[in-house]
Amino acid sequence: GFVVGHAGLYQALAMFAVAYFIIGMTVLSVCAIATNGALDAGGAYYMISRALGPEFGGSIGIMFFLANVCGSALYVLGLVEAVVDSFGVPPGQEKGTGVHVLPQSYWYELLYGTVLLALCLLVCLVGASIYAKATFLIFLIVAVVLGTILVSFFATRPLKVPIHLPHLNGTETDNGFFTGFSLNTLRDNLGGGYGVDYTTGQMMSFSSVFAVMFNGCTGIMAGSNMSGDLKRPSYSIPRGTISAVLFTYLVYNLLAFLMCATCNRILLQKDYGFLRDISIFPPLVTVGIYAATLSAAMSNLIGASRILYALARDDLFGRALALAKKTSASGNPVMAVIISWLVVQVVLFSGKLNTIASVVTTFFLLVYATVNLACLALEWASAPNFRPTFRYFTWHTCLLGIAGCCVMMFLISPVSASASLGFLLLLLLALHYLSPSSTWGYISQALIFHQVRKYLLMLDVRKDHVKFWRPQMLLMVQNPRGSARLIDFVNDLKKSGLYVLGHVELQDLDMLPSDPLQPQQDSWLSLVDKLNVKAFVSLTLAPSVRHGVRQLLFTSGLGGMRPNTLVLGFYDDEAPQDGLARHPAFTSAREEVPLGFPPLRAPTTPKLLSAREYVGIVADALKMLRNVLLARQLESLDKAWELRRAASPPPTIHVWPVNLLRPDSARYADTCSLFLLQMACVLNMARAWRRARLRLFLCVEAGTMPHAQEEKLRQLLKDLRIQAQIQLVPWDAITRLHWQTCRGPPGGPAEEEEEEEGVVNFPTNTTQVSDEYVCAANKLVLEQSPAPAVRFLYLPRPPADTSLYPLYLHQLELLTRGLGPTVLVHGVSAVTSTQL
């Protein structure tokens, strides 16, 4: 009557259609989730938490608990209004007559609500079985009452109904009319006629009336809330919920039409208990109203207690809800019932039904939207194990349900909707950072997998362009204990590209009972988390390190995301240092080092690979068209100290784009030099290295127009948009050492033959460079001050003759000896672009 009286028939039918559209979409989602596996206590909370994870589940669980608590209070207040309307002393009179004996005031009505709530508490404390029997009895009573009401619309003759309304300090009497079926009455009630709600004194509107009406439709979750007490929840919930929704929708529409055709607007707006006045047996209507509201109050109270119990049992809020875990001998969560009862009692202080209606409706709409979101996520994830036996839903119905809930939330009360979403966001953040990890499975992982697979298929290597090149690193790590700072440094070099930590285990699977790499996987993933690097982990078994690196270069990555750059630590005789033991992530008081990595190799213990095999790995990578980086003494790089030094002077990055082991070919614009420049620039672009300054060293000889070379290099840097300071370095004395030991003058037959080969210093240059020259070049690099944070040097290509591999490695060791953190770089692919 309240809805039809204020909104009229057309708008009332529209409200029912909108409400039941939202409810219908949600019911389809509930049925799908309920039939996709075993359900436990908690209803919608259980569904959402197991589908969307603990953060969403816990936050929505709290919201749903509050929705049920406020809903229970709302129904208790509605029952109090009905009781006072039937038995209360009329306004303006000190004493009532006949059955009108209950005094009316805020505190008296609070007392009546407390007594009625205590009755609900007693039923819920006994247990779910007595509640089920009570609700079945109430259902029979309501069904009989509904039958008498429908008969009354046809059997009752037209009559005038006096209405006594409170007015100032007295009462005001108005007359409503039951006209029987009348076309004029129907015509008058078709349109809206919003007036003042006589219980609160507030002007009604579409949103406020919809908020009150929607609370009569929220019982769809009553069955799912009892999922822990049902014998076959996946069977009972779909059938019971869909039947209830269809039945109530038909009844509401039928009653709306009958009321509009038989009762004038005054009667509908100013006497919410008019059905008693027109009934053929008025006491039965009173009993039906009491029974329906009492049932709804109990349903919300027991639903709230089950949600609270499920939240407590899942330990999402720790000790805060520990008390709610306690149950009776029969398994009834009595402490959760008592806590829910106390919260409902607090809400009763709000006093009036329509005051909290919008808050309750907002909470329920938010929960329904999340149920639809859970089903939508499960459907979009396309996981093979999402096979609900209820198939009458699609992602379209889920999306429509979400949209309907969100739109109606803000139409009803923008303030309540915004506050509810803000509260939900706070709970999400709190649970994300404070709640323990769960074993329920995270839908986010399934969705991410689904999307990543889709986009990986779209990532076409044939469409690669140098403009969009980025480094994709494969860093080979023997033992992370000695490589913590190197792992962090390469993380700065990757520039949003792929980063893979590779490790080769020297074992033969034929001789082992199971894969030895599986137990190590968790330790490597924990290492990645603690070092806070964005890297994948790839482990392999191989008979030798060289074979293992080949395997990883061939197989690491997927589709268009494959490593294009191999990073190796330097091969020298320095004793490895345990970097993890000194790393801040592992040295805090709370953290121990639980990682299952073996202790570092002792200095006297032989290495797992020879010098020849090490250089062979570099040669293999270059044959496979992978760029190569060799990192020496990166474990001595204290990045935090280097980058927090006084602002003047800022830390520097020294770049030597010339092949120092090939003084007869001092080119700085070949592919390798440009790649070296690119890597130095990429490091400078990393957030932690932005304060650093690039210093580029140009080696010049007398009589070669150094300023012209400098200007040419400066123009190149300008074209490449690289900001760097250029420093000219005379190296006549260094090159003189080379020519003294070289077979022939510059430009002789040996040089021409190598130039025809088209590859710098390959195959014979290694034997032409003396140790004295290499030590002089090392001294030249070392003398450039101030000392940089890191140096980038040109890495020559290994010789074709494998017997020269040890000599090649010896020359690299001499060149980089004592330089501190140094990266030797050899690039094989074009990585710079001057185009837009």
Side-chain angles (χ1 to χ4, degrees):
F2 168 82
V3 174
V4 175
H6 286 284
L9 181 61
Y10 290 153
Q11 292 189 36
L13 295 179
M15 287 182 186
F16 293 141
V18 171
Y20 275 87
F21 173 79
I22 295 171
I23 290 167
M25 299 300 103
T26 306
V27 164
L28 296 180
S29 299
V30 168
C31 294
I33 299 175
T35 58
N36 189 51
L39 274 181
D40 207 340
Y45 157 71
Y46 188 86
M47 298 177 191
I48 294 168
S49 62
R50 269 50 179 184
L52 298 183
E55 294 94 346
F56 253 107
S59 51
I60 285 297
I62 290 293
M63 302 292 284
F64 199 26
F65 168 74
L66 293 176
N68 277 275
V69 160
C70 293
S72 182
L74 181 131
Y75 289 120
V76 169
L77 291 173
L79 183 54
V80 168
E81 282 189 12
V83 170
V84 169
D85 196 39
S86 300
F87 303 106
V89 176
Q93 298 182 16
E94 293 185 1
K95 291 184 179 181
T97 57
V99 295
H100 298 282
V101 294
L102 296 178
Q104 295 190 50
S105 72
Y106 169 79
W107 292 107
Y108 273 114
E109 291 179 6
L110 179 62
L111 175 63
Y112 305 150
T114 302
V115 171
L116 293 170
L117 183 60
L119 178 62
C120 296
L121 173 65
L122 289 175
V123 174
C124 294
L125 283 176
V126 172
S129 59
I130 190 68
Y131 164 76
K133 293 174 183 176
T135 51
F136 181 70
L137 178 62
I138 290 171
F139 168 74
L140 293 178
I141 295 172
V142 172
V144 172
V145 172
L146 183 61
T148 60
I149 289 173
L150 293 176
V151 171
S152 299
F153 281 112
F154 296 92
T156 305
R157 294 183 177 182
L159 56 87
K160 181 172 70 173
V161 181
I163 305 169
H164 302 285
L165 299 173
H167 181 70
L168 298 176
N169 294 326
T171 59
E172 180 184 19
T173 302
D174 204 345
N175 293 316
F177 292 92
F178 176 77
T179 62
F181 287 96
S182 168
L183 191 60
N184 290 331
T185 305
L186 178 62
R187 191 180 296 112
D188 293 340
N189 289 328
L190 289 178
Y194 295 100
V196 175
D197 175 22
Y198 70 86
T199 63
T200 61
Q202 297 177 352
M203 186 66 185
M204 292 291 98
S205 63
F206 181 91
S207 59
S208 58
V209 171
F210 182 85
V212 176
M213 182 277 300
F214 192 80
N215 286 286
C217 312
T218 54
I220 63 165
M221 288 294 183
S224 60
N225 288 343
M226 297 291 293
S227 55
D229 300 296
L230 297 173
K231 289 182 179 179
R232 297 169 61 192
S234 60
Y235 175 85
S236 305
I237 289 175
R239 286 161 178 78
T241 307
I242 293 174
S243 302
V245 168
L246 293 175
F247 179 75
T248 53
Y249 180 65
L250 291 174
V251 169
Y252 284 162
N253 280 275
L254 179 60
L255 287 176
F257 174 76
L258 293 175
M259 290 174 185
C260 282
T262 57
C263 305
N264 75 340
R265 194 175 293 274
I266 294 175
L267 181 62
L268 294 173
Q269 281 190 356
K270 298 185 177 181
D271 184 6
Y272 298 156
F274 71 94
L275 288 176
R276 284 192 304 271
D277 301 317
I278 66 171
S279 175
I280 55 175
F281 188 56
L284 195 58
V285 175
T286 303
V287 172
I289 293 172
Y290 295 170
T293 48
L294 190 64
S295 170
M298 282 193 298
S299 171
N300 279 269
L301 179 60
I302 201 167
S305 68
R306 295 310 188 264
I307 295 165
L308 186 63
Y309 172 65
L311 283 166
R313 198 174 59 177
D314 286 338
D315 275 330
L316 295 183
F317 295 89
R319 296 180 180 178
L321 297 179
L323 191 63
K325 292 182 185 179
K326 296 185 178 180
T327 61
S328 64
S330 61
N332 187 31
V334 289
M335 292 309 301
V337 172
I338 292 172
I339 293 171
S340 303
W341 165 74
L342 287 173
V343 180
V344 175
Q345 184 63 57
V346 171
V347 178
L348 285 180
F349 281 92
S350 62
K352 290 295 181 183
L353 181 150
N354 293 354
T355 306
I356 59 174
S358 61
V359 176
V360 178
T361 301
T362 301
F363 280 179
F364 272 113
L365 284 169
L366 193 56
V367 172
Y368 293 169
T370 315
V371 171
N372 283 302
L373 178 63
C375 190
L376 178 67
L378 289 168
E379 177 70 7
W380 273 356
S382 300
N385 283 323
F386 183 58
R387 297 190 298 268
T389 55
F390 182 87
R391 295 300 304 166
Y392 301 102
F393 77 100
T394 66
W395 65 268
H396 304 86
T397 60
C398 302
L399 208 57
L400 287 171
I402 295 171
C405 289
C406 293
V407 169
M408 290 314 301
M409 243 187 349
F410 282 94
L411 283 179
I412 289 169
S413 176
V415 175
S416 296
S418 302
S420 300
L421 288 172
F423 183 53
L424 176 65
L425 185 61
L426 286 176
L427 286 172
L428 273 171
L429 292 174
L431 285 170
H432 178 73
Y433 289 107
L434 301 178
S435 69
S437 59
S438 74
T439 58
W440 307 335
Y442 293 82
I443 190 67
S444 58
Q445 295 298 303
L447 288 170
I448 290 169
F449 177 89
H450 187 263
Q451 293 303 110
V452 166
R453 181 193 62 84
K454 182 193 302 182
Y455 287 116
L456 271 175
L457 290 171
M458 296 169 63
L459 191 60
D460 191 345
V461 293
R462 294 167 296 183
K463 297 179 181 178
D464 282 348
H465 194 280
V466 67
K467 287 190 298 184
F468 308 112
W469 179 91
R470 65 182 73 236
Q472 306 202 69
M473 304 293 198
L474 171 61
L475 170 62
M476 297 306 304
V477 180
Q478 179 188 350
N479 191 332
R481 292 188 183 278
S483 309
R485 288 181 174 173
L486 176 58
I487 293 171
D488 183 58
F489 178 78
V490 178
N491 187 60
D492 291 334
L493 268 179
K494 71 180 188 308
K495 187 55 180 173
S496 303
L498 177 68
Y499 183 17
V500 180
L501 297 181
H503 173 72
V504 179
E505 193 78 17
L506 298 182
Q507 296 191 56
D508 186 356
L509 191 59
D510 290 339
M511 309 300 293
L512 298 171
S514 61
D515 182 6
L517 299 179
Q518 290 300 325
Q520 299 182 28
Q521 193 78 19
D522 286 345
S523 293
W524 284 87
L525 294 176
S526 298
L527 174 79
V528 168
D529 292 339
K530 289 181 181 293
L531 293 180
N532 196 27
V533 295
K534 298 175 181 177
F536 297 96
V537 173
S538 186
L539 313 179
T540 189
L541 285 176
S544 69
V545 176
R546 186 174 181 181
H547 280 87
V549 176
R550 283 180 186 170
Q551 289 176 19
L552 293 177
L553 284 172
F554 277 125
T555 61
S556 291
L558 201 62
M561 291 186 66
R562 292 187 179 277
N564 55 28
T565 305
L566 174 67
V567 186
L568 301 172
F570 196 78
Y571 191 93
D572 55 27
D573 295 324
E574 293 185 15
Q577 303 293 322
D578 194 341
L580 287 189
R582 304 189 304 271
H583 197 280
F586 300 94
T587 55
S588 63
R590 294 182 302 166
E591 295 281 358
E592 298 178 356
V593 184
L595 304 178
F597 299 118
L600 289 171
R601 174 183 61 84
T604 57
T605 306
K607 298 180 180 180
L608 295 178
L609 78 164
S610 64
R612 188 184 298 269
E613 189 179 10
Y614 177 82
V615 180
I617 292 173
V618 176
D620 290 344
L622 296 178
K623 289 176 183 176
M624 297 164 68
L625 298 181
R626 304 296 202 278
N627 310 298
V628 176
L629 273 61
L630 304 184
R632 185 171 192 186
Q633 294 187 353
L634 260 296
E635 288 304 303
S636 65
L637 173 63
D638 190 346
K639 186 175 75 172
W641 182 83
E642 288 284 355
L643 301 177
R644 290 174 186 167
R645 289 190 302 178
S648 180
T652 57
I653 300 171
H654 285 189
V655 183
W656 295 79
V658 173
N659 184 359
L660 295 174
L661 295 185
R662 179 68 184 268
D664 52 335
S665 178
R667 290 181 295 176
Y668 55 81
D670 63 358
T671 299
C672 186
S673 297
L674 292 176
F675 180 80
L676 189 150
L677 279 173
Q678 180 83 323
M679 294 311 299
C681 181
V682 165
L683 181 65
N684 195 207
M685 293 169 71
R687 181 178 300 175
W689 290 87
R690 284 177 186 167
R691 280 190 58 247
R693 297 290 179 263
L694 288 182
R695 180 173 294 174
L696 191 61
F697 294 92
L698 178 60
C699 298
V700 295
E701 297 181 59
T704 56
M705 295 187 295
H707 293 293
Q709 294 183 41
E710 180 184 4
E711 188 59 34
K712 185 178 178 182
L713 181 58
R714 197 178 302 281
Q715 184 61 41
L716 175 66
L717 293 177
K718 182 179 179 181
D719 292 341
L720 297 177
R721 290 90 61 205
I722 296 177
Q723 294 184 356
Q725 175 190 350
I726 298 176
Q727 184 170 330
L728 301 180
V729 180
W731 71 331
D732 297 80
I734 313 298
T735 57
R736 194 175 302 117
L737 290 173
H738 173 67
W739 299 123
Q740 287 174 358
T741 58
C742 186
R743 295 170 301 175
E751 181 179 353
E752 292 174 4
E753 180 182 346
E754 289 183 32
E755 293 297 333
E756 289 174 3
E757 292 287 340
V759 180
V760 175
N761 76 292
F762 181 85
T764 61
N765 187 64
T766 304
T767 57
Q768 296 179 357
V769 178
S770 66
D771 286 358
E772 184 184 9
Y773 164 77
V774 177
C775 289
N778 169 264
K779 184 179 179 182
L780 176 71
V781 174
L782 193 58
E783 286 175 347
Q784 307 306 317
S785 60
V790 65
R791 290 179 171 92
F792 283 85
L793 302 185
Y794 190 114
L795 173 66
R797 193 180 185 97
D801 187 352
T802 58
S803 64
L804 297 178
Y805 281 1
L807 177 60
Y808 169 81
L809 188 59
H810 170 69
Q811 290 177 353
L812 294 182
E813 196 279 328
L814 286 179
L815 180 64
T816 57
R817 182 180 293 176
L819 294 184
T822 303
V823 182
L824 291 160
V825 181
H826 190 98
V828 296
S829 55
V831 295
T832 56
S833 172
T834 58
Q835 301 176 15
L836 284 177

